[in-house]
Structures are given as structure tokens and as C-alpha cells.
Amino acid sequence: MEQNRSLSFVSNQYARDVLLEWWKGLENSRGDRAALRRCHNPTEVAFNPAFHRLRMKFKHFGYVNPESLALIAGILSHVRSNNEKVHFAEQMAAPRSGSNNACVSGLRFRRLLKLYDNELFEPLIRIVHMLDGTVNIPVLANSIYWWNVNESTRKEWAFKYYEKAPSES
């Protein structure tokens, strides 16, 4: 089934708000957050009721890819705070305090760009932890959702990352 082409967690304010409301709701339902965090892959996320609450919120958008949404739900359960001022790729390129190196090395970043969406679960959780749990949720969710559709997401990430960290090799 073809993914809904109009679903965007960045440009569609309603979709963005629904996603953020669900993510904030995990704070009040720590058992659900803990259960999602214990998942090892999107299939395990699909067995979690919190994921289905998210899926039902997007039901009126038409067809929404449940595998991509499970991937998003599992990764977002590891996010502590939302920072929409900086693109996710720029967050990966930003140096840690007291260092001149990017939070995510150029080598790790290039490896990430080569992955298919079904391989993103663990690497992106690791990166969320490397960023101390603070990420741009709408951009991250949108990138995950559209990862395999065309190369535009990967190109956008590469441009944003290397604009911020041109010396990362």
C-alpha cells in the first residue's frame, strides 16, 4: 500500500501536534514509556498498546505506514526533550561541550546514511542517547517516515550535517 504523501510531521501542524501530544503523554504514562524503551525492534513496538494509541490518532490521515510509525514510536520513547530550533542532522554535527569533534562522528554519520529504514532502530536510539535525549522530534519523525521513499531525506541530512561540521571525515 502506498504511503500517504501528505503526511508530514514538519509542515502539517496537526500531524506535528498529534505526534508531540502522544510523546508528551508518555511522560504521564511512564509504564508505557518503559515498555517501549525495552523494545528491541519495531515489531516489538507493534505489540505495545501505547503504539496503537498513536496509530489510532493518525487513522483519519488515510493510510499511514504502520512499520514506519512503530519505528518512530520506539525511537521517540528514548527522547527526553524536544528542540525544534536546530535540525536533527545539525544536532548530530554540533560539538559536545569541551570538544571540537561532532557529537556523531563523520564515519558513524556516513554509515547511518547507508542504512535502510528497517535497520535504523538501534543506530538512531544510540544517536538519541549521544545527543543526551534532546532532538528535533518533528524532523526526526519525518525523516524516519520518509527514509526509503527517495534520497531527499539523506541528502538533506548530509547538507545539514556537513554545513555544521565540514571537517568531519
Side-chain angles (χ1 to χ4, degrees):
M1 193 171 256
E2 187 174 330
Q3 289 185 193
N4 182 342
R5 295 240 178 244
S6 65
L7 182 59
S8 169
F9 301 106
V10 174
S11 62
N12 183 323
Q13 186 68 36
Y14 183 70
R16 179 186 162 282
D17 290 347
V18 166
L19 181 68
L20 290 174
E21 179 185 315
W22 174 84
W23 172 76
K24 288 174 185 170
L26 290 177
E27 190 63 35
N28 298 326
S29 181
R30 293 176 182 243
D32 286 338
R33 179 186 298 264
L36 285 169
R37 284 182 174 174
R38 286 192 295 270
C39 294
H40 296 97
N41 54 55
T43 301
E44 289 181 15
V45 171
F47 301 149
N48 187 297
F51 161 69
H52 290 282
R53 284 194 291 278
L54 176 63
R55 191 174 65 85
M56 288 298 117
K57 290 180 183 231
F58 283 99
K59 194 174 182 178
H60 68 280
F61 280 84
Y63 176 75
V64 175
N65 184 329
E67 287 81 18
S68 295
L69 201 57
L71 186 59
I72 291 167
I75 292 168
L76 291 188
S77 70
H78 293 268
V79 174
R80 292 182 187 176
S81 62
N82 181 26
N83 177 3
E84 295 183 35
K85 294 178 182 169
V86 182
H87 191 280
F88 183 68
E90 292 173 332
Q91 292 173 319
M92 289 190 282
R96 287 187 171 272
S97 63
S99 172
N100 292 328
N101 300 326
C103 277
V104 176
S105 72
L107 178 62
R108 184 183 297 264
F109 180 73
R110 287 191 306 279
R111 286 182 183 160
L112 180 66
L113 294 180
K114 292 179 182 176
L115 298 176
Y116 292 102
D117 64 347
N118 62 349
E119 302 168 318
L120 290 173
F121 193 76
E122 289 184 20
L124 281 179
I125 288 172
R126 252 184 259 122
I127 289 172
V128 166
H129 288 224
M130 292 169 78
L131 299 173
D132 297 325
T134 300
V135 302
N136 185 327
I137 290 175
V139 167
L140 177 59
N142 211 56
S143 298
I144 293 168
Y145 192 79
W146 296 106
W147 190 260
N148 279 355
V149 172
N150 59 40
E151 296 294 324
S152 65
T153 299
R154 294 172 192 184
K155 286 180 190 172
E156 179 184 16
W157 279 28
F159 284 117
K160 296 284 186 185
Y161 180 89
Y162 287 111
E163 282 173 11
K164 186 91 173 181
S167 62
E168 280 297 319
S169 53

